[in-house]
Amino acid sequence: MPLPTEWVQHAPPPRSLTGNDQWNVFLSYRSINRPWVLTLYDVLREQGYKVFLDQVVLKPGDRLIKGLQTALETSQAGVLIWSKKTGDSDWVQREYETMETLASTKRGFVFIPVRLDTGEPPLFARNRIYVDFSSYPDGPNGGELMRLLYGLADKPMDDAAARFATDQTEIAQEESEKIGAAIANKDGDRLLALFRQNGLAWRTSSSLGCKAAQGLTDLGRDEDAIAVLTQLETQFPKAVRPKQLRALALARRGKPGDLAAAQEILGVLYARGERDPETLGIYGRTWMDRYAQSGNAADLEQSRDYYAEAFKGAPDDYYTGINAAAKSVLIGGDDNLRRAAEYAAAVQQIVGTEPRAGDYWLTATIGEVFLIQKKYADAARIYKAAVAMARSKEGAHRSTWTQACRLLVKLAPTAEERAAVRAAFSHLPDCAALGVA
């Protein structure tokens, strides 16, 4: 489906690639921001840009530093994406200095910093105009996306485009807030109604549709989530994120044929080189589902290996790290338990030991680290905090509790220790009712 006419008439096209340039834009980021960056990657490709994203382009075995340097030197523009979650000021400074040097020495090279939240900007941001996406936590959209496109095209924004951008900022933010309210109110029908209105902000980027679909999944409405994501795939054929989320929704729904369909989606992405931690993480999850059906230890090992591959490629990605740890526990044996301990320790360095306000999955991960370390009282305390901060996310609670049930079988705590962990999920069926005993 083509981009909306209203958008296209204001958005500048990508610059033509000339000379040695192979990429319109190089995206520099930390993995903590990868879901947002992946949506930007999708949006730019839909707009006709050739985009360098390391974990999509580089293959296992490539020389990382050399590959990144070559890609940056053969790009027309560099986008440095940072947030307060990045947590590595040295990395930000190094990337800034590299791109600033290219902007000074390479004719036509454009350097654009991008800010994702309200964290204190790095020092360099005071000397260079940056694009502020702090009002777009779910992905680029609205007026800031238009401003980014003009920056990449190395063109000033005319009056008509500036007015259009201002209007789109207000619209996109309002639509995102409506989705958030519907999720908080557990109103799946409202999420569907918002999606079906199909306003311009919904047709410019898949980010709003993906947010609505994730909300439907969290509310246990997998059928509706799959329908939304199927439409998004038609509307945004180059976008990876809707495909990932549809595979996840199929796996969660679990009807006959769903697991095979999910693995086909992910297998195609993997074969195409889309081996980012999100794709690998969901792929690993489907192999765990397959193991639950087959009981074949090889399926469990395949699940662990996909998570481990993702964590090796992005060692600051706690989601894949904790799953590599958990699956190693489930496989069992001295060598795997040693690996589980190593993965868990590495994850703890990323997530810390105390709940993170407003971040369910990070907090739940802290609980799982404690569980793997057999610190049951700490695990119970953190799991309880995670549930309390996201009471509407019952699908997420069930996923967390099911994983905990599997681990409890292997870890064999005392009845008292198990009861403490169970209490955090008292609103859910016990392990036996979930098919884990």
Side-chain angles (χ1 to χ4, degrees):
M1 182 180 293
L3 289 166
T5 302
E6 311 97 295
W7 180 268
V8 173
Q9 67 183 0
H10 292 292
R15 291 181 285 168
S16 298
L17 291 171
T18 59
N20 294 324
D21 284 341
Q22 300 178 29
W23 309 96
N24 295 116
V25 57
F26 177 106
L27 300 181
S28 177
Y29 65 100
R30 296 300 259 178
S31 62
I32 191 69
N33 297 318
R34 189 181 299 103
W36 195 98
V37 174
L38 188 59
T39 303
L40 176 61
Y41 171 75
D42 287 343
V43 169
L44 291 175
R45 292 204 304 168
E46 293 290 345
Q47 304 274 341
Y49 285 78
K50 190 173 181 184
V51 186
F52 181 90
L53 187 68
D54 55 359
Q55 289 173 343
V56 171
V57 178
L58 298 180
K59 305 180 296 298
D62 285 348
R63 294 180 62 187
L64 180 61
I65 301 301
K66 183 177 180 180
L68 293 174
Q69 180 178 337
T70 300
L72 186 54
E73 290 174 349
T74 56
S75 296
Q76 291 177 333
V79 174
L80 172 58
I81 300 157
W82 92 89
S83 72
K84 61 186 178 183
K85 292 182 179 180
T86 299
D88 186 349
S89 58
D90 289 341
W91 167 81
V92 173
Q93 187 64 33
R94 286 195 305 271
E95 296 293 285
Y96 160 72
E97 290 172 355
T98 299
M99 292 192 188
E100 192 68 58
T101 297
L102 272 176
S104 302
T105 59
K106 180 181 176 182
R107 183 179 178 85
F109 184 85
V110 174
F111 168 35
I112 304 175
V114 164
R115 176 187 185 184
L116 296 191
D117 56 29
T118 56
E120 182 68 21
L123 182 61
F124 72 77
R126 302 173 192 175
N127 300 318
R128 180 175 282 275
I129 296 174
Y130 58 87
V131 181
D132 188 354
F133 280 107
S134 59
S135 297
Y136 300 85
D138 308 297
N141 207 327
E144 291 304 306
L145 176 57
M146 182 66 72
R147 293 183 182 94
L148 176 61
L149 295 178
Y150 269 90
L152 294 174
D154 201 18
K155 291 182 178 181
M157 187 178 290
D158 59 37
D159 290 343
R163 287 194 296 271
F164 177 80
T166 298
D167 292 341
Q168 292 311 304
T169 294
E170 295 176 0
I171 292 169
Q173 290 176 1
E174 183 177 3
E175 292 298 298
S176 180
E177 289 164 357
K178 289 177 181 177
I179 296 171
I183 294 172
N185 295 332
K186 302 183 180 182
D187 192 344
D189 290 340
R190 178 58 174 158
L191 288 173
L192 287 173
L194 289 168
F195 177 73
R196 289 166 180 161
Q197 289 173 7
N198 201 31
L200 179 57
W202 293 79
R203 290 180 284 125
T204 302
S205 162
S206 67
S207 60
L208 292 176
C210 286
K211 181 178 182 179
Q214 286 181 283
L216 289 165
T217 298
D218 288 340
L219 294 174
R221 296 183 58 162
D222 294 314
E223 298 277 357
D224 292 325
I226 291 167
V228 166
L229 292 163
T230 300
Q231 186 171 333
L232 284 176
E233 287 185 56
T234 300
Q235 190 171 347
F236 301 97
K238 295 181 181 179
V240 174
R241 191 62 178 156
K243 294 179 177 66
Q244 294 173 335
L245 293 176
R246 185 162 71 92
L248 180 59
L250 285 166
R252 284 181 172 173
R253 185 174 67 175
K255 287 186 175 181
D258 279 351
L259 182 56
Q263 289 203 310
E264 181 175 0
I265 294 168
L266 298 163
V268 169
L269 289 174
Y270 188 88
R272 290 176 180 172
E274 305 282 358
R275 300 182 184 183
D276 59 276
E278 281 66 42
T279 297
L280 290 169
I282 299 169
Y283 209 1
R285 179 250 159 84
T286 65
W287 280 95
M288 186 64 195
D289 292 340
R290 189 161 166 172
Y291 167 70
Q293 294 178 6
S294 70
N296 187 338
D299 292 339
L300 176 56
E301 290 178 7
Q302 184 66 73
S303 174
R304 190 273 308 281
D305 290 348
Y306 277 129
Y307 285 120
E309 179 182 347
F311 194 46
K312 182 178 180 181
D316 55 348
D317 186 83
Y318 67 81
Y319 169 77
T320 54
I322 191 60
N323 275 284
K327 274 45 176 181
S328 295
V329 170
L330 299 182
I331 294 169
D334 291 343
D335 183 60
N336 287 308
L337 292 176
R338 176 188 56 77
R339 292 180 65 179
E342 291 173 355
Y343 288 136
V347 170
Q348 193 165 58
Q349 290 296 313
I350 301 168
V351 300
T353 59
E354 295 300 322
R356 179 78 60 84
D359 194 328
Y360 172 84
W361 284 112
L362 185 144
T363 301
T365 297
I366 298 170
E368 192 163 318
V369 168
F370 280 133
L371 188 63
I372 291 170
Q373 295 173 339
K374 297 187 177 183
K375 298 177 180 178
Y376 299 107
D378 286 326
R381 173 176 61 86
I382 300 298
Y383 280 141
K384 182 177 180 180
V387 170
M389 71 175 60
R391 295 194 182 280
S392 65
K393 294 187 175 183
E394 293 181 7
H397 302 168
R398 182 179 290 265
S399 177
T400 303
W401 173 230
T402 301
Q403 177 86 318
C405 286
R406 297 187 182 112
L407 290 170
L408 288 168
V409 171
K410 284 287 187 177
L411 296 169
T414 66
E416 183 179 356
E417 289 167 337
R418 185 190 184 284
V421 177
R422 172 73 180 110
F425 300 98
S426 59
H427 59 299
L428 297 176
D430 203 355
C431 297
L434 295 175
V436 183

